[in-house]
Amino acid sequence: MAERTVPVTTAKAKEPIAREETRQEERFLVPPVDIYETPELLMVIADMPGVDKENVDVRVDNNVLTIQGKSGQIAPGNPVYTEFSLLNFFRQFQLSEMMDQEKIGADLKNGTLIIRLPKAEKAKPKKITVNVT
């Protein structure tokens, strides 16, 4: 699984770079993630403080996993004076063909997003039975 939003340096660096559709005037934070692998799946754990279930969006399109989260207001009521604001989150990863995209699942608890990416059957390790003759 490779991160997609990292700029790639190529020999054609002098050509104008087209903007991605995801580029907007709005500023985003890249949520830090930990990725764990088991024989059955990859697990992505993203830290997205201030994001609740209604404002998180996890999508897979054209083998790209997109994570977006909109941070909410920390305290109830209207702010009278603020010196900082929470930013929204955005990050993308390129998925391999070895992921079973139909079975991807996600949970959000206390600002921590956990995405389970099951491996396709052909990508799982297999034990070969040895016959003794």
Side-chain angles (χ1 to χ4, degrees):
M1 186 164 71
E3 185 169 354
R4 186 172 183 196
T5 54
V6 174
V8 177
T9 305
T10 64
K12 297 179 181 180
K14 294 183 179 180
E15 294 180 10
I17 300 171
R19 298 186 111 188
E20 295 179 23
E21 290 181 27
T22 56
R23 303 282 171 133
Q24 301 173 1
E25 296 298 322
E26 186 177 357
R27 293 178 35 207
F28 291 97
L29 292 175
V30 176
V33 298
D34 290 334
I35 301 174
Y36 296 90
E37 182 175 13
T38 71
E40 303 294 321
L41 58 84
L42 287 179
M43 184 178 299
V44 177
I45 302 173
D47 190 25
M48 301 171 68
V51 175
D52 59 17
K53 185 178 178 181
E54 289 76 30
N55 293 312
V56 67
D57 187 28
V58 178
R59 295 174 185 262
V60 175
D61 187 27
N62 292 327
N63 293 330
V64 176
L65 172 68
T66 302
I67 302 169
Q68 285 185 291
K70 184 176 180 180
S71 299
Q73 190 172 329
I74 297 174
N78 295 323
V80 177
Y81 177 77
T82 61
E83 291 187 346
F84 70 94
S85 62
L86 298 174
L87 296 177
N88 297 328
F89 296 94
F90 180 84
R91 194 157 183 184
Q92 290 182 314
F93 296 94
Q94 182 73 45
L95 299 179
S96 76
E97 299 290 331
M98 300 304 221
M99 298 291 121
D100 187 349
Q101 296 182 12
E102 299 297 321
K103 295 181 180 175
I104 293 175
D107 294 305
L108 179 72
K109 184 175 182 181
N110 297 329
T112 301
L113 178 65
I114 300 174
I115 304 171
R116 293 171 308 284
L117 303 149
K119 294 180 180 177
E121 287 300 321
K122 63 182 178 182
K124 292 180 182 176
K126 295 177 184 148
K127 180 175 174 120
I128 307 299
T129 303
V130 177
N131 298 319
V132 178
T133 55

